Amino acid sequence: MDSVTNLIVKKVHISQEIPTCTRNYTVPAIVFSTKGYAGNHFHDFTDVLIPLFQTSRRFNGEVQFLITNHMSWWIDKFKPLLQRLTKYEIVDIDKKKEVLCFPSMTIGLKANKEFSINTSESSYSMMDFTKFLKNTYSLKRKFAVRLKKNKPRLLIISRSKTRRFINIQELVTMASSLGFQVVLEETSENLANVAKKVNSFDVLMGVHGAGLTNMVFLPENAAVVQIVGLGMEWISKVDFEIPAMDMNLKYLDNKISVNESSLIQKYPLEHQVLRDPPANVITPEEWVSYSKIYLDQQDVNIDVNRFRGTLLKALELLRS
């Protein structure tokens, strides 16, 4: 988080000299940063977009966004969303030398739940946010397919660097044999195209990772299938399991065995990495070594016979 600019708030007493306003605004302002972990698809949503929605939606567009650590490519990527939250041109506050005056200002964004919204602390819900997204990108499908009439569509997120499916073709063949129309790809193109593509599927499946963030574009009652690698149970639950249910999606996971993890090729069976992977939230000090092993070095070789039951359950959920 060292890349995020620290802003100083000072209280000015009447007796002190107050700077003269160069420009007076009639609407309130919200100040936030597009640095930190922004740039990772998951963190774009959980750290910036969802908190920004909670903070700004009540103004109905009558609010001025002031951005520090402004990244033009980030603004371009999410411009359709930003333009629905504010009616005004975004100000790069780091380049402004004038004294800008506002009737009120919110400095920073507060997230109250990982990749979701805690409704006990907010007047909005995650369903409100996903509805906002679907309206923004004009997504047509509101509900998942009715199996009696149509063939269910399954999108498998393919990862090319870490947490890859080693036996992906075997997995695709098995899923197809169950009646799924299977599409395999990475979802890294233009966000508007990704939104429309994901919205056309009934099941989204992938190994724990940022690609599952695209569940926000799924139609209601669609299913999310998360492949949980060794040591990923706690982070998988917080990052995607709980949020999926908050979005009114069906959720399933498949916790892999030691034999399905590529880590078995790197460590002996009696090694702590395999014998005793982290079961609970780790400390910030432990994060670097944890992520290097379990997130960066681990691929998945799915036992398709065992996993078959998970996809059959997904079909049952689509019928319910």
Side-chain angles (χ1 to χ4, degrees), residues 253-297:
D253 60 32
N254 183 83
K255 299 177 178 66
I256 70 167
S257 66
V258 171
N259 291 330
E260 293 173 278
S261 172
S262 65
L263 293 176
I264 199 171
Q265 300 170 2
K266 298 180 174 67
Y267 299 92
L269 275 174
E270 65 275 11
H271 197 284
Q272 183 178 358
V273 165
L274 300 178
R275 181 173 48 82
D276 189 26
N280 299 305
V281 178
I282 63 172
T283 65
E285 292 75 23
E286 295 170 324
W287 175 258
V288 173
S289 59
Y290 165 81
S291 61
K292 183 178 180 180
I293 294 171
Y294 294 102
L295 300 183
D296 297 343
Q297 295 182 6

Side-chain angles (χ1 to χ4, degrees), residues 46 93 151 153 192 202 227 236 247:
T46 192
I93 197 172
K151 197 172 185 179
R153 304 188 74 228
D202 307 292
I227 308 302
S236 296
M247 297 177 208

Side-chain angles (χ1 to χ4, degrees), residues 75-303:
I75 302 300
D76 290 341
K77 179 179 180 179
F78 296 108
K79 183 171 285 186
L81 298 175
L82 298 173
Q83 288 179 331
R84 287 202 67 214
L85 291 173
T86 177
K87 298 176 181 178
Y88 304 96
E89 198 71 29
I90 291 171
V91 174
D92 181 352
I93 197 172
D94 297 334
K95 292 183 178 180
K96 289 293 182 182
K97 304 301 180 184
E98 303 96 329
V99 178
L100 309 180
C101 296
F102 298 87
S104 64
M105 182 179 289
T106 302
I107 301 177
L109 305 173
K110 181 181 178 181
N112 62 17
K113 192 174 184 180
E114 188 83 339
F115 191 39
S116 190
I117 297 174
N118 184 345
T119 53
S120 67
E121 299 178 12
S122 174
S123 57
Y124 298 102
S125 69
M126 199 57 185
M127 290 289 291
D128 293 323
F129 179 72
T130 55
K131 182 179 179 180
F132 167 77
L133 290 180
K134 291 166 186 175
N135 287 337
T136 298
Y137 290 108
S138 302
L139 304 185
K140 304 300 182 184
R141 295 182 73 222
K142 293 184 178 180
F143 299 99
V145 71
R146 292 183 178 179
L147 292 189
K148 292 181 179 179
K149 296 183 178 181
N150 299 287
K151 197 172 185 179
R153 304 188 74 228
L154 168 64
L155 174 60
I156 301 178
I157 297 172
S158 172
R159 295 175 61 92
S160 59
K161 296 180 180 179
T162 63
R163 284 162 273 159
R164 298 170 299 168
F165 286 112
I166 296 173
N167 58 332
I168 188 62
Q169 288 307 319
E170 189 180 3
L171 182 58
V172 170
T173 299
M174 185 271 289
S176 299
S177 72
L178 295 181
F180 284 101
Q181 181 183 341
V182 183
V183 174
L184 171 68
E185 65 176 64
E186 289 194 66
T187 51
S188 57
E189 56 188 290
N190 174 276
L191 190 60
N193 293 337
V194 170
K196 288 180 172 59
K197 181 172 292 179
V198 173
N199 184 247
S200 71
F201 286 87
D202 307 292
V203 181
L204 177 67
M205 171 189 154
V207 181
H208 171 84
L212 288 175
T213 306
N214 292 312
M215 69 171 71
V216 294
F217 303 119
L218 285 171
E220 283 189 52
N221 297 315
V224 176
V225 180
Q226 179 174 204
I227 308 302
V228 181
L230 292 185
M232 297 182 195
E233 289 190 30
W234 62 275
I235 196 171
S236 296
K237 183 179 182 67
V238 171
D239 285 357
F240 297 115
E241 178 179 346
I242 295 173
M245 292 185 284
D246 289 346
M247 297 177 208
N248 196 27
L249 299 172
K250 313 290 187 181
Y251 175 83
L252 292 168
D253 60 32
N254 183 83
K255 299 177 178 66
I256 70 167
S257 66
V258 171
N259 291 330
E260 293 173 278
S261 172
S262 65
L263 293 176
I264 199 171
Q265 300 170 2
K266 298 180 174 67
Y267 299 92
L269 275 174
E270 65 275 11
H271 197 284
Q272 183 178 358
V273 165
L274 300 178
R275 181 173 48 82
D276 189 26
N280 299 305
V281 178
I282 63 172
T283 65
E285 292 75 23
E286 295 170 324
W287 175 258
V288 173
S289 59
Y290 165 81
S291 61
K292 183 178 180 180
I293 294 171
Y294 294 102
L295 300 183
D296 297 343
Q297 295 182 6
Q298 185 172 195
D299 294 326
V300 174
N301 188 17
I302 287 287
D303 181 339

